[in-house]
């Protein structure tokens, strides 16, 4: 039995008890929390449902739990229910009922772990969105790995996800980029506020190859050529790097289009109609303090130029206008102060901050080799880039290492560790477990062990119970990862599955020893082996990492 099945059984039992009058009328939950006890003497699963709902029924938790435990005794697959302490429920599941899960997982295949929790929700997920003025640095690389994994997790629970990249092609940084390209093409030093690195030389030469007469133009015209062509070349490199990293976007949105289309002016006008705009000191302001911001924000500066927030206002309204129910922004560590003003503009449009707009802030990434920080890029010359990291450790190790930790903490990546082919390396540990499931299945086939028989009560070894319990948690882990916007939960769970699988492998054989005959227990264990294979493969896919069949 899975935690979800037990949760449903408890909800149904509560409904029956209320209907029969054995429990007073109270608002029934749609689901209850089921947890795996640390001490197996306390059951296969436990719930504090009585502690949560006894007060609503105007009862003592222990009395509530005793009545519920008696009702649950009749549920198929539940062997015993004990009430502990002030009202905890400890549930013991029969070996046969627990083992049925292996059959269910194999038959479900790629669909195991998926649900329809967010079905019908149209969600815009914006991530990476690095300026097209250089290669993607480590912070952007972390967002690429985490963002794409989050998109996969959200899709697994039914959401319709659009991956979006905000192409910042409007502003001073693009001017600096164009001037840097022009200077390099002319053999001059980079401007004081410009960009350096080998990539500037490469792009400058590519522009000259495409537009050979550029340097014969006046500087102002030549700079415009380098702007238009150079930005497109740079962004094409960014797109290619992301694609090779396993990340592709559905929409590449150009910031400049907001200004060219008049969307910025329309958005300001819409807020003005709602009374959220005022004029002061020759500038146009958003009265964002009304919605919790620490100060009002200039939208149009006194010189007539739009402030950066003007584009944010128009962009958010554009997203909502495209029909997205929820807009998730993934921003870097330097954007903490950005959150209140963004939530204020969300509220100014009549939306609910935290629902229609969510902002995730990610912390920095540090690379370490032999205990020393790695800071310099071969190509960018300043910071380590996505290409540098992939060259050092490969896509799988890079993606897994960047995804397996919470974005709320600064991440230190040990390049030597994640390059090792040992169990100390988390990605190797998980991938090796999957490869082992495939090798076991291959060996079984060569010795005539197949899945023609399934006798669940034979899966009674302690390591089998542990592995089954761990596999049963996958749907809940995926749902929690989606609801909390934390795909690292999937990666950490996979490491637990790998550990349980390796322990089971050491204790339970799928193939007979020597010339002994194939028995029912071998065929049944093959189902469990293949169930572990399914969960590991499905989980690795959610974090964008391959599931190798041999290593």
């Amino acid at each position: 039995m899975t935690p979800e099945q037990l949760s449903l059984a408890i909800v149904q039992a509560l409904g029956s008890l209320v209907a029969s009058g054995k429990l007073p009328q109270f608002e029934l939950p749609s689901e209850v929390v089921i947890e795996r006890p640390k001490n197996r003497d306390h059951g296969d699963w436990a719930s504090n449902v009585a502690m949560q709902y006894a007060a609503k029924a105007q009862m003592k938790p222990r009395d509530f739990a005793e009545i519920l435990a008696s009702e649950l005794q009749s549920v198929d697959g539940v062997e015993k229910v004990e009430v502990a302490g002030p009202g905890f429920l400890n549930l013991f599941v029969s070996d046969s009922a627990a083992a049925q899960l292996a059959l269910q997982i194999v038959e479900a295949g790629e669909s195991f772990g998926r649900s329809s929790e967010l079905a019908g929700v149209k969600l815009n997920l914006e991530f990476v969105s690095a300026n097209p003025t250089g290669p993607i640095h480590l912070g952007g690389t972390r967002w690429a790995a985490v963002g794409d994994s989050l998109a996969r997790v959200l899709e697994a629970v039914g959401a319709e996800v659009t991956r979006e990249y905000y192409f910042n092609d409007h502003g001073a940084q693009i001017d600096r980029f164009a001037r840097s390209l022009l200077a390099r093409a002319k053999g001059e030093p980079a401007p004081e506020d410009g960009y350096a690195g080998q990539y500037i030389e490469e792009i400058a030469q590519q522009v000259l190859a495409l537009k050979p007469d550029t340097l014969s133009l006046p500087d102002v015209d030549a700079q415009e050529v380098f702007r238009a062509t150079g930005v497109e070349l740079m962004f094409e490199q960014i797109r290619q790097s992301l694609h090779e990293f396993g990340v592709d976007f559905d929409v590449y949105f150009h910031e400049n289009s907001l200004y060219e289309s008049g969307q910025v002016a329309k958005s300001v006008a819409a807020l003005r109609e709602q009374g959220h705009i005022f004029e002061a000191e020759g500038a146009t302001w958003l009265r964002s303090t009304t919605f919790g911001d620490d100060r009002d924000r200039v939208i149009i500066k006194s010189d007539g130029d739009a402030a950066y927030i003007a584009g944010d206002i128009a962009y958010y309204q554009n997203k909502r206008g495209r029909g997205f129910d929820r807009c998730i922004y993934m921003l870097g560590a330097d954007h903490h102060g950005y959150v209140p003003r963004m939530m204020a503009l969300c509220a100014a449009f009549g939306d609910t901050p935290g629902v229609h707009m969510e902002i995730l802030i990610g912390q920095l990434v540090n690379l370490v080799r032999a205990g020393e920080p790695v800071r310099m890029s071969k190509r960018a010359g300043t910071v380590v880039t996505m290409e540098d990291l992939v060259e050092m450790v490969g896509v799988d190790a890079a993606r897994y290492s960047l995804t397996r930790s919470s974005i709320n903490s600064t991440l230190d990546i040990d390049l030597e560790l994640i390059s090792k082919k040992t169990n100390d390396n988390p990605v190797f540990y998980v991938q090796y477990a999957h490869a082992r499931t495939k090798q076991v299945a291959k060996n079984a086939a060569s010795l005539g062990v197949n899945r023609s028989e399934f006798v669940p009560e034979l899966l009674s070894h302690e390591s089998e119970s542990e592995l089954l319990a761990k596999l049963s948690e996958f749907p809940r882990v995926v749902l929690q990862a989606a609801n909390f916007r934390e795909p690292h939960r999937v990666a950490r769970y996979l490491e637990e599955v790998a550990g349980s699988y390796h322990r089971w492998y050491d204790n339970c054989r799928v193939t007979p020893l020597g010339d002994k005959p194939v028995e029912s227990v071998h065929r049944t264990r093959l189902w469990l082996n293949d169930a572990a294979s399914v969960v590991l493969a499905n989980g690795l896919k959610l974090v964008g990492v391959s599931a190798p069949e041999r290593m």
Side-chain angles (χ1 to χ4, degrees):
M1 296 184 78
T2 67
E4 289 73 25
Q5 290 171 328
L6 281 173
S7 173
L8 178 61
I10 292 175
V11 170
Q12 291 175 338
L14 289 172
S16 296
L17 290 168
V18 169
S20 64
K22 294 179 181 178
L23 283 178
Q25 289 285 338
F26 68 97
E27 185 178 350
L28 296 172
S30 59
E31 60 180 357
V32 298
V33 176
I34 304 293
E35 296 179 321
R36 183 77 167 167
K38 293 181 180 179
N39 185 340
R40 288 299 307 280
D41 292 337
H42 296 166
D44 298 300
W45 301 100
S47 177
N48 65 348
V49 60
M51 311 286 287
Q52 289 181 303
Y53 292 95
K56 294 183 179 182
Q58 298 182 335
M59 296 178 65
K60 293 179 179 179
R62 178 91 190 186
D63 295 340
F64 187 102
E66 293 283 2
I67 295 171
L68 179 56
S70 178
E71 183 74 10
L72 291 172
Q73 290 287 173
S74 61
V75 173
D76 288 341
V78 175
E79 196 169 73
K80 181 173 63 172
V81 184
E82 294 180 348
V83 178
F88 293 103
L89 287 178
N90 293 333
L91 300 105
F92 297 79
V93 178
S94 68
D95 290 340
S96 177
Q100 286 291 340
L101 178 70
L103 186 69
Q104 296 168 14
I105 291 174
V106 174
E107 291 180 343
E110 292 184 359
S111 66
F112 183 71
R114 306 182 74 87
S115 68
S116 57
E117 184 77 12
L118 294 182
V121 174
K122 190 174 180 183
L123 194 151
N124 182 284
L125 179 62
E126 183 207 329
F127 59 105
V128 183
S129 297
N131 290 337
T133 54
I136 298 175
H137 56 66
L138 278 182
T141 306
R142 186 180 195 182
W143 274 138
V146 175
D148 185 63
S149 296
L150 178 57
R152 293 166 185 250
V153 167
L154 290 166
E155 288 171 336
V157 298
E160 180 185 342
V161 180
T162 294
R163 296 165 173 82
E164 186 150 317
Y165 190 116
Y166 188 52
F167 185 3
N168 191 333
D169 54 354
H170 181 90
Q173 77 283 351
I174 300 298
D175 292 334
R176 293 197 298 272
F177 180 62
R179 285 189 279 108
S180 301
L181 293 174
L182 176 58
R184 183 60 65 91
K186 294 167 69 174
E188 299 174 353
E192 187 175 340
D193 61 346
Y195 298 93
Q198 180 60 31
Y199 77 96
I200 292 291
E201 172 71 26
E202 294 170 2
I203 293 178
Q205 293 305 316
Q206 290 176 40
V207 173
L208 291 177
L210 293 169
K211 310 282 186 177
D213 298 328
T214 300
L215 292 182
S216 64
L217 299 172
D219 279 0
V220 65
D221 296 326
Q223 183 175 316
E224 186 55 37
V225 172
F226 278 106
R227 174 204 294 273
T229 308
V231 166
E232 185 53 42
L233 288 168
M234 185 71 256
F235 197 65
E236 181 54 39
Q237 288 189 19
I238 290 173
R239 276 195 291 254
Q240 186 61 32
S241 295
L242 287 165
H243 175 73
E244 292 172 358
F245 198 59
V247 179
D248 293 294
F249 288 85
D250 303 300
V251 174
Y252 291 95
F253 191 96
H254 289 253
E255 180 188 11
N256 206 40
S257 68
L258 295 170
Y259 295 87
E260 293 177 345
S261 66
Q263 180 78 50
V264 170
K266 291 177 184 176
S267 298
V268 173
L271 291 175
R272 191 186 299 277
E273 287 180 10
Q274 296 177 50
H276 304 317
I277 298 293
F278 67 97
E279 310 293 333
E281 302 172 7
T284 301
W285 300 67
L286 172 66
R287 204 181 302 277
S288 53
T289 52
T290 303
F291 306 102
D293 198 0
D294 59 348
R295 59 189 175 88
D296 296 326
R297 303 287 174 176
V298 173
I299 299 177
I300 307 297
K301 295 181 283 188
S302 57
D303 61 5
D305 289 340
Y308 195 80
I309 193 175
D312 294 329
I313 291 170
Y315 186 37
Y316 175 69
Q317 191 183 42
N318 178 279
K319 287 181 178 181
R320 294 286 281 140
R322 281 185 275 150
F324 292 109
D325 304 304
R326 303 180 189 179
C327 303
I328 301 178
Y329 296 73
M330 304 182 72
L331 305 177
D334 57 343
H335 285 75
H336 274 288
Y338 199 65
V339 177
R341 74 189 71 171
M342 290 292 288
M343 291 303 178
L345 73 87
C346 168
F349 280 115
D351 289 342
T352 304
V355 176
H356 299 102
M357 177 190 285
E358 298 176 48
I359 296 179
L360 307 180
I361 300 291
Q363 298 304 311
L364 301 175
V365 182
N366 300 311
L367 294 187
V368 178
R369 179 188 281 128
E372 295 295 325
V374 179
R375 294 193 178 96
M376 299 298 290
S377 167
K378 295 177 182 177
R379 185 160 170 264
T382 51
V383 294
V384 179
T385 67
M386 173 184 286
E387 292 91 339
D388 294 324
L389 181 59
V390 169
E391 183 180 343
M392 293 174 193
V393 301
V395 172
D396 280 351
R399 284 194 61 142
Y400 191 92
S401 300
L402 290 165
T403 303
R404 72 181 292 267
S405 297
S406 168
I407 60 171
N408 296 320
S409 59
T410 299
L411 177 60
D412 292 324
I413 294 181
D414 187 329
L415 294 172
E416 291 185 338
L417 174 64
I418 66 173
S419 299
K420 288 181 179 179
K421 296 187 182 301
T422 68
N423 287 341
D424 294 332
N425 177 1
V427 65
F428 178 86
Y429 187 61
V430 174
Q431 287 184 314
Y432 180 64
H434 181 266
R436 177 173 265 183
T437 67
K438 292 300 185 180
Q439 188 60 47
V440 166
K442 184 177 179 181
N443 292 342
S446 68
L447 294 174
V449 180
N450 55 40
R451 296 199 308 255
S452 60
E453 186 178 13
F454 183 71
V455 186
E457 57 267 25
L458 295 178
L459 298 180
S460 57
H461 190 274
E462 182 179 351
S463 65
E464 290 172 323
S465 298
E466 176 195 345
L467 179 56
L468 284 161
K470 187 56 62 178
L471 296 179
S472 74
E473 294 176 15
F474 185 52
R476 183 173 60 177
V477 169
V478 176
L479 183 57
Q480 288 176 336
N483 287 339
F484 291 106
R485 316 300 193 230
E486 293 179 340
H488 73 271
R489 290 172 179 259
V490 175
R492 294 304 176 115
Y493 164 79
L494 291 176
E495 292 165 32
E496 295 175 4
V497 172
S500 295
Y501 177 79
H502 290 312
R503 285 188 288 276
W504 172 74
Y505 176 89
D506 291 338
N507 285 282
C508 300
R509 293 189 59 84
V510 173
T511 55
L513 279 171
D515 57 357
K516 291 185 177 180
V518 174
E519 299 179 354
S520 297
V521 68
H522 300 118
R523 299 187 187 95
T524 302
R525 282 175 176 167
L526 181 58
W527 282 92
L528 180 53
N529 176 82
D530 293 353
S533 187
V534 167
V535 170
L536 287 165
N538 289 359
L540 285 167
K541 186 175 183 180
L542 290 179
V543 293
V545 174
S546 68
E549 298 200 359
R550 56 184 300 179
M551 293 182 73

